[in-house]
């Protein structure tokens, strides 16, 4: 059974909030949190392209930061840093928590 959109959106928001509460609070961490907050958006369903042309569903949690967007991958239970491509977000192999992925840019 696939959860409905409202339930998944709530789960994704909770995952982002949990990452935010565990973020480092040094100067770099505070700057990263500020920048993340400025680009954070309501989770939005997106099709993500993986190696070999495999497509999967994810949830974009940021607006693009240049060509980059942070996407939650429910099937993997983690976030991914993706680059915007001609067919939507492309997974570039950077996975982990939302802030870590965002800070990798």
């Amino acid at each position: 059974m696939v959860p409905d959109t409202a339930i998944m959106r709530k789960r994704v928001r909770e995952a982002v909030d949990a990452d935010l509460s565990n973020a480092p609070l040094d100067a770099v961490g505070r700057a990263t949190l500020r920048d993340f907050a400025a680009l954070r958006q309501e989770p939005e369903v997106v099709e993500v392209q993986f190696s070999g042309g495999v497509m999967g569903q994810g949830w974009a949690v940021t607006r693009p930061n240049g060509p980059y967007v942070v996407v939650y991958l429910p099937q993997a239970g983690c976030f991914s840093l993706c680059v915007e491509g001609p067919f939507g977000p492309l997974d570039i192999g950077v996975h982990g928590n939302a802030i870590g992925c965002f800070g990798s840019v």
Side-chain angles (χ1 to χ4, degrees), residues 2-105:
V2 177
D4 74 22
T5 302
I7 291 170
M8 277 305 300
R9 186 170 279 128
K10 181 177 186 279
R11 286 183 188 166
V12 174
R13 275 194 308 266
E14 289 170 350
V16 172
D17 290 342
D19 286 352
L20 291 173
S21 69
N22 293 321
L25 293 179
D26 58 3
V28 173
R30 283 193 301 274
T32 301
L33 287 172
R34 182 187 63 240
D35 294 346
F36 181 87
L39 291 173
R40 186 175 178 182
Q41 69 175 19
E42 187 66 20
E44 174 183 302
V45 176
V46 293
E47 286 294 314
V48 178
Q49 184 175 348
F50 298 92
S51 296
V54 175
M55 300 298 286
Q57 189 179 69
W59 292 79
V61 299
T62 64
R63 292 185 308 283
N65 182 13
Y68 300 100
V69 63
V70 178
V71 176
Y72 181 71
L73 303 173
Q75 65 275 27
C78 66
F79 292 87
S80 171
L81 181 63
C82 294
V83 65
E84 287 288 342
F87 303 108
L90 173 64
D91 178 90
I92 59 173
V94 177
H95 302 121
N97 64 44
I99 301 306
C101 288
F102 181 83
S104 296
V105 173

